[in-house]
């Protein structure tokens, strides 16, 4: 059973009481893991999986038991690989075309989707990329919606205008103003979800929309250097914002195989080159962004323009209950 499940990239399920007893015994011995009640996987395999793959295993297992289901919202976003955040996956979100089937039943939330657009991704039926981004934009909180839509646009290679056009064509949908607000401000130039969240939080704090991944020319060797965020102050001068995430220092895909010291020194060299252009750099971390106050203090001290302080948005007072 375990081998067959691994070939399907799903969890194993005991069909007979005797099998359940054997699996539970191996679970108690530490050989197996039970990510979902009554569903098992070998511990070495589970430990080797990324967060995105762990989510996919869980959803693939559920959809194999319910082959007529179509995943939507954050569940579809996980299969599309627009997010790998485990905390978003408390519930399984599905789309239904019958309004009488909507509602929450245990860990399953059914959403009425009359204009359902279905695609198959890695063997799983999910809503289309555009519909998935739209549903996330209108139902999630602003930072999470911005992160998913940013990665969705990057994955599809589409510009923000494509999402804007899709949202503009929708009528009488719950949360439509929120979706249009996300589409208006999302920037696929953000290279990862952390940058997208930082952008969203800065906008919620009333700061001006920055230019993402602006290119500068190095005064040392004439090469191209890129800044995460660039704002133009009221006096016309520039200020650069740089997000220091742990991943850029430890993820081999981002470090180019270099160690932490080499990556850190390269970052310092890049900051020096920007400073030599007479452009100050304000650095911040995700802990600052999540806590907001340290992030706000840094941007205020850097004299980042704040034209929207106190202005209401479609997300003002909105409480997300999707996860």
């Amino acid at each position: 059973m375990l081998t067959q499940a691994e070939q399907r990239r799903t969890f194993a399920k005991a069909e007979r009481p005797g099998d359940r007893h054997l699996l539970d015994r191996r679970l108690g011995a530490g050989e197996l893991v039970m990510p979902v009640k009554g569903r098992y996987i070998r511990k070495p395999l589970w430990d080797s999986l990324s967060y995105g793959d762990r989510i996919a295993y869980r959803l693939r297992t559920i959809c194999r038991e319910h082959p007529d289901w179509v995943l939507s919202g954050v569940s579809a976003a996980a299969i599309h690989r627009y997010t790998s955040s485990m905390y978003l996956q408390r519930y399984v979100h599905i789309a239904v075309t019958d309004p009488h089937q909507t509602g929450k039943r245990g860990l399953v939330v059914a959403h009425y989707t009359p204009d359902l657009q279905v695609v198959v991704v890695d063997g799983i039926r999910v809503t289309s990329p555009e519909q998935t981004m739209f549903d996330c934009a209108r139902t999630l909180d602003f930072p999470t919606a911005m992160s998913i839509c940013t990665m969705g646009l990057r994955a599809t290679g589409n510009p923000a205008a494509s999402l804007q056009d899709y949202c503009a064509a929708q009528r009488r949908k719950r949360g439509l103003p929120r979706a249009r607000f996300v589409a208006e401000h999302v920037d696929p130039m953000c290279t990862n979800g952390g940058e997208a969240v930082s952008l969203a939080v800065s906008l919620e704090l009333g700061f001006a929309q920055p230019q993402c991944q602006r290119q500068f020319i190095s005064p040392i060797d004439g090469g191209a250097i890129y800044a995460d965020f660039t704002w133009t102050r009221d006096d016309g001068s520039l200020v650069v914002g740089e997000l220091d995430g742990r991943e850029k220092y430890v993820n081999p895909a981002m470090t180019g195989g270099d160690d932490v010291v080499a990556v850190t020194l390269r970052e310092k060299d890049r900051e020096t080159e920007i400073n030599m252009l007479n452009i100050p750099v304000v650095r911040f971390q995700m802990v600052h962004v999540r806590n907001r106050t340290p992030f706000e203090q840094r941007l205020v001290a850097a004299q980042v323009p704040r034209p929207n302080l106190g202005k209401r948005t479609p997300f003002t007072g909105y409480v997300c209950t999707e996860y």
Side-chain angles (χ1 to χ4, degrees), residues 281-301:
V281 176
V282 53
R283 308 193 76 95
F284 46 86
Q285 304 166 28
M286 283 308 300
V287 65
H288 301 144
V289 175
R290 294 190 184 97
N291 291 339
R292 298 202 173 211
T293 298
F295 183 44
E296 179 182 20
Q297 291 172 334
R298 281 162 171 76
L299 297 189
V300 169

Side-chain angles (χ1 to χ4, degrees), residues 21-306:
H21 174 74
L22 291 172
L23 290 168
D24 282 338
R25 190 168 64 184
R26 295 179 68 176
L27 176 68
E31 298 177 30
L32 303 181
V33 176
M34 188 169 61
V36 179
K37 185 176 181 180
R39 310 294 185 273
Y40 305 82
I41 186 173
R42 298 185 214 263
K43 188 175 187 304
L45 174 57
W46 180 251
D47 291 342
S48 72
L49 296 177
S50 66
Y51 289 143
D53 286 335
R54 291 182 180 186
I55 295 169
Y57 263 68
R58 174 176 177 261
L59 293 175
R60 192 178 294 111
T61 299
I62 293 170
C63 289
R64 188 172 185 274
E65 297 172 7
H66 302 276
D68 58 326
W69 283 4
V70 177
L71 299 183
S72 67
V74 290
S75 298
I79 297 302
H80 280 295
R81 300 296 174 136
Y82 302 161
T83 178
S84 59
S85 297
M86 299 286 286
Y87 75 92
L88 296 179
Q89 304 300 323
R90 177 182 179 186
Y91 302 106
V92 177
H93 297 267
I94 64 173
V96 295
T97 55
D98 183 350
H100 298 97
Q101 295 178 342
T102 61
K104 179 182 175 184
R105 297 175 182 84
L107 294 180
V108 178
V109 184
H111 303 270
Y112 177 52
T113 313
D115 51 348
L116 183 60
Q117 303 163 6
V118 182
V119 298
V120 178
V121 177
D122 204 12
I124 302 174
R125 286 157 48 89
V126 297
T127 50
S128 69
E130 296 79 11
Q131 193 165 56
T132 298
M133 285 186 275
F134 172 70
D135 287 340
C136 289
R138 67 192 181 94
T139 59
L140 301 179
D141 55 276
F142 186 47
T144 304
M146 285 279 278
S147 175
I148 288 176
C149 290
T150 296
M151 302 315 293
L153 291 174
R154 289 184 65 85
T156 58
N158 293 330
S162 66
L163 183 58
Q164 293 167 4
D165 291 343
Y166 186 91
C167 293
Q170 303 300 312
R171 295 289 183 272
R172 301 175 63 184
K173 295 289 181 63
R174 178 175 65 91
L176 182 55
R178 291 192 293 273
R180 290 175 174 171
F181 187 79
V182 170
E184 179 185 351
H185 293 91
V186 68
D187 190 339
M189 289 300 293
C190 289
T191 59
N192 55 62
E195 289 182 11
V197 169
S198 300
L199 170 59
V201 173
S202 73
L203 296 175
E204 286 191 320
L205 292 172
F207 292 100
Q209 177 120 7
Q211 182 177 351
C212 299
Q213 296 301 318
R214 176 168 175 169
Q215 177 181 308
F216 296 95
I217 302 302
S218 169
I220 297 177
D221 58 15
I225 50 178
Y226 296 88
D228 291 346
F229 306 101
T230 304
W231 289 276
T232 301
R233 292 166 167 161
D234 294 335
D235 62 3
S237 63
L238 302 179
V239 57
V240 160
E242 287 288 306
L243 172 63
D244 281 328
R246 292 179 179 272
E247 193 171 14
K248 73 164 66 173
Y249 297 100
V250 299
N251 186 341
M254 301 180 69
T255 63
D258 293 335
D259 60 19
V260 174
V261 174
V263 176
T264 302
L265 293 176
R266 190 163 62 237
E267 283 290 300
K268 288 184 176 294
D269 286 342
R270 189 165 65 96
E271 182 173 344
T272 295
E273 292 173 292
I274 295 175
N275 289 153
M276 292 176 69
L277 296 172
N278 295 317
I279 301 174
V281 176
V282 53
R283 308 193 76 95
F284 46 86
Q285 304 166 28
M286 283 308 300
V287 65
H288 301 144
V289 175
R290 294 190 184 97
N291 291 339
R292 298 202 173 211
T293 298
F295 183 44
E296 179 182 20
Q297 291 172 334
R298 281 162 171 76
L299 297 189
V300 169
Q303 300 176 26
V304 172
R306 203 175 187 183

Side-chain angles (χ1 to χ4, degrees), residues 307-318:
N308 300 312
L309 179 62
K311 290 186 179 179
R312 293 182 62 85
T313 75
F315 284 90
T316 302
Y318 174 65

